[in-house]
Amino acid sequence: MEFDLAQTDALLTTTRSVRKRLDLDRPVPREVILDCIRIAAQAPTGGNAQGWRWLVLDDPEAKATAADLYRRSGREYLASYRSRPLDDQTGKVIDSADYLLEILDRVPALVIPCIKGRVDDPAPFWQASHLGSIIPAVWSFQLALRSRGLGSCFTTLHLAHEAEAAEAFGIPAGMTQVALLPVAYTKGTDFKPAERRPADHITHWNHW
Ligand SMILES: Cc1cc2nc3c(=O)[nH]c(=O)nc-3n(C[C@H](O)[C@H](O)[C@H](O)COP(=O)(O)O)c2cc1C
């Protein structure tokens, strides 16, 4: 199989955290979300456990509940950034994050990816095996959205109230929520690669 490298690399390098350019007025059909979850389920899982589950909120009341939980920890967290000097890139991220916090309940769908099991042991073996069995799938989901003209943003702020979210949405005990993704069509699709440190600055060969 030959890939179109230009297109594949463009998808991988321009899938940004979208907040201000989420289209709040264009509905997202459930089939599109299911299609992206079908693609995400090709991601790897430890021991091929496939313990992922996806909670999709598209009901206004459910979204408002999730947005409340997000704001409860998010307002304070984002305000803490304002008390220190911010470089340009971080300042823009915080502005954008503030915006997302305010409009979260108006985003067409909020997706909470979950993974079966709870891991309290902080040892990397357990943490990496557990979270590593869902986060690659989440990124695949975000890439699949992007290739269909939709955008999303990996967020974790609601997890400060994970137990309350579990209670509100009937998430069974023993599941771990890993994120909350706002999902919407994007206003325009012309996203750009972000500035990153060069690969040879962050890579070590054979010895650190
Ligand atoms: C683990 C993780 C947690 C994040 N949590 C939040 C969040 O709670 N709210 C938010 O607006 N963005 C969140 N982000 C998005 C980051 O701010 C974003 O990835 C970063 O600024 C780089 O921007 P880019 O994804 O467009 O390259 C999170 C990203 C990651 C990987």
Side-chain angles (χ1 to χ4, degrees), residues 49-60:
Q50 301 179 37
W52 41 47
R53 296 291 182 274
W54 304 77
L55 175 70
V56 184
L57 310 176
D58 61 2
D59 166 72

Side-chain angles (χ1 to χ4, degrees), residues 6 26 39 62 74 88 109 135 138 148 165 167-168 183 191 199 207:
R26 182 169 170 194
I39 287 165
D88 255 19
I135 291 175
V138 175
R148 287 161 175 73
E167 171 83 26
V183 171
F191 295 91
H207 195 274

Side-chain angles (χ1 to χ4, degrees), residues 102-147:
E102 297 304 336
I103 55 92
L104 195 60
D105 54 308
R106 293 166 51 204
V107 178
L110 303 179
V111 176
I112 300 181
C114 301
I115 180 84
K116 266 190 196 170
R118 305 283 305 179
V119 171
D120 296 325
D121 191 328
F125 172 78
W126 296 109
Q127 293 293 336
S129 302
H130 188 54
L131 297 178
S133 293
I134 181 67
I135 291 175
V138 175
W139 183 234
S140 291
F141 176 72
Q142 293 183 267
L143 293 169
L145 289 170
R146 162 91 171 115
S147 63

Side-chain angles (χ1 to χ4, degrees), residues 15-19 70 77-78 93 96-98 100 153-158 194 196:
T15 300
R16 299 263 70 79
S17 296
V18 187
R19 304 180 187 91
Y70 186 94
Y77 178 81
L78 294 174
V93 169
S96 170
D98 276 339
L100 176 66
C153 177
F154 192 104
T155 80
T156 48
L157 284 170
H158 94 282
R196 296 289 196 249

